[in-house]
Amino acid sequence: MKLYHVLRNGGKFRTVFDFAGREVAHWFPGHMAKGLKQMRAGMKNVDCVIEIHDARIPFSGRNPVFQETLDIRPHLLILNKMDLADMTNKQRILKKLERNGVRNVLFTDCLKQRDDNIKKLVPMVMEIINNNPRFNRDESIHYCLMAIGVPNVGKSSLINSLRRTNLKKGRASRVGGEPGITKAVLTKIQVCERPIMHLLDTPGVLPPQIESVETGMKLALCGTILDHLVGEDIIADYLLYSLNRLEKFSYVEKYDIQEPSDDIQHVLKRIAVKLGKTQRVKAITGVGNITVTVPNYTAAAYHFIRAFRKGELGRVMLD
């Protein structure tokens, strides 16, 4: 992006997002409540808890309900989708997590065919387990992990990546781009041969109460809440606000927009024109009904959000 564009528009951008009195989106369907109950019950057979979260929101939206679970078993936090996150301030993130009591952290990109960080996971887990008492599992020569996290952060992709790396086997968990793909509770999957290690796959579980509207919006933007519960028009506007705030202006060239804009209607109109996403509607005039072609703003918003989620608008750190 040309510097003069950025300087000229710098003072025009919103410094805060107007949530217009919106309430936090709630999504806690039955399979989540059931999953949480069975995860707690199965904890006695677990050596280490693997919490997976989106690297673009390392602090926002981590389920506080998990905290009581994490307190009774060793814990490793995996910040996945690092390929989509701006890692410039990685050390600041690690220090803040450490201040919050999270010392074991691993960044991963589980969709990558060969991710060197995935190779570090089993040695890290073994070190964590060996430094903590195993209690009732002290006699067992097999190890059991439990994968937990909010929806659509890559738990199933992590399992498949571990199997690909350690067992040279294909995927065992279904992967999807929408939250709520994994609904089965405590599915036991082998992820390593030496040592023998199994991982319990669990459904993504959101907190029954999300802490704030902004946290809910970040979760929605990263695809952990179903889009229609928030509204794609609102998510697209929050995305535009975030990109401008972070000075990530690649959307301007991608969609042939003259300069950065803070007006979501203008941006969506340009996207619709660029992609040919239009619709024909009837308009009532003084001389009768006529059919006119107008931009399809909903389709444009859908495309804009998905371009962000696929990393086509640049790497972003929302926290």
Side-chain angles (χ1 to χ4, degrees):
M1 175 51 51
K2 293 173 182 170
L3 183 59
Y4 76 87
H5 276 161
V6 177
L7 293 174
R8 193 170 68 181
N9 286 275
K12 293 182 182 179
F13 300 136
R14 290 167 286 183
T15 54
V16 293
F17 188 81
D18 180 13
F19 293 105
R22 284 187 157 267
E23 294 185 0
V24 181
H26 295 295
W27 188 43
F28 195 68
H31 77 270
M32 288 190 188
K34 180 183 177 183
L36 201 55
K37 184 178 179 181
Q38 294 195 11
M39 284 156 63
R40 286 169 175 155
M43 195 53 61
K44 63 181 181 294
N45 299 317
V46 170
D47 294 302
C48 183
V49 173
I50 309 293
E51 181 190 3
I52 300 103
H53 200 60
D54 195 309
R56 294 168 292 184
I57 45 172
F59 312 115
S60 293
R62 287 178 57 217
N63 195 338
V65 179
F66 291 147
Q67 196 57 53
E68 60 194 73
T69 304
L70 302 180
D71 285 344
I72 60 173
R73 282 292 183 264
H75 169 230
L76 170 63
L77 174 62
I78 291 183
L79 292 173
N80 191 32
K81 305 188 182 183
M82 63 177 289
D83 56 310
L84 305 177
D86 183 350
M87 302 298 292
T88 307
N89 294 314
K90 179 181 176 181
Q91 292 306 314
R92 176 187 67 82
I93 293 166
L94 291 172
K95 286 177 182 177
K96 185 172 179 179
L97 287 169
E98 189 171 3
R99 287 197 299 272
N100 294 337
V102 182
R103 293 176 179 81
N104 302 310
V105 183
L106 185 66
F107 288 88
T108 60
D109 171 11
C110 291
L111 292 180
K112 196 175 179 182
Q113 283 301 306
R114 290 178 59 87
D115 180 8
D116 290 338
N117 284 354
I118 287 292
K119 295 177 183 177
K120 300 176 185 176
L121 193 146
V122 170
M124 275 186 81
V125 165
M126 289 306 302
E127 184 178 352
I128 292 167
I129 293 173
N130 291 335
N131 288 333
N132 288 274
R134 291 185 77 195
F135 301 111
N136 59 306
R137 293 187 52 75
D138 212 28
E139 302 289 318
S140 177
I141 59 172
H142 298 174
Y143 296 92
C144 184
L145 318 177
M146 181 184 286
I148 64 173
V150 298
N152 204 26
V153 289
K155 291 184 295 298
S156 297
S157 296
L158 173 74
I159 291 169
N160 294 334
S161 186
L162 282 168
R163 285 174 60 81
R164 194 166 57 237
T165 301
N166 299 322
L167 300 176
K168 303 296 185 280
K169 290 186 179 179
R171 71 186 197 178
S173 286
R174 186 177 162 213
V175 177
E178 289 189 357
I181 291 293
T182 304
K183 288 190 171 72
V185 179
L186 303 188
T187 304
K188 192 173 183 179
I189 301 167
Q190 185 173 357
V191 293
C192 191
E193 186 68 43
R194 297 181 182 178
I196 295 176
M197 188 175 287
H198 289 83
L199 195 149
L200 298 174
D201 192 11
T202 64
V205 178
L206 284 164
Q209 299 289 329
I210 295 172
E211 61 188 81
S212 70
V213 180
E214 181 136 30
T215 295
M217 200 63 76
K218 289 178 182 179
L219 287 168
L221 184 51
C222 291
T224 66
I225 299 175
L226 290 170
D227 290 345
H228 72 265
L229 295 178
V230 179
E232 288 178 330
D233 55 337
I234 301 297
I235 299 172
D237 194 19
Y238 186 75
L239 169 57
L240 180 63
Y241 158 76
S242 299
L243 292 173
N244 288 336
R245 178 177 60 84
L246 297 168
E247 298 185 358
K248 302 285 185 177
F249 299 115
S250 61
Y251 70 90
V252 176
E253 291 180 28
K254 180 175 177 62
Y255 298 116
D256 293 338
I257 302 171
Q258 190 173 2
E259 60 184 12
S261 172
D262 217 11
D263 181 350
I264 188 60
Q265 293 299 315
H266 171 69
V267 171
L268 292 181
K269 183 177 181 180
R270 295 305 308 160
I271 293 174
V273 170
K274 166 82 172 175
L275 302 176
K277 295 187 180 296
T278 57
Q279 56 189 352
R280 294 173 67 79
V281 298
K282 284 185 178 179
I284 300 173
T285 69
V287 294
N289 295 351
I290 61 170
T291 302
V292 295
T293 302
V294 297
N296 188 333
Y297 289 99
T298 302
Y302 180 90
H303 184 277
F304 190 38
I305 295 165
R306 271 140 197 79
F308 165 76
R309 290 176 183 164
K310 289 189 287 186
E312 294 173 4
L313 302 180
R315 295 184 168 202
V316 170
M317 181 62 66
L318 294 170
D319 278 344

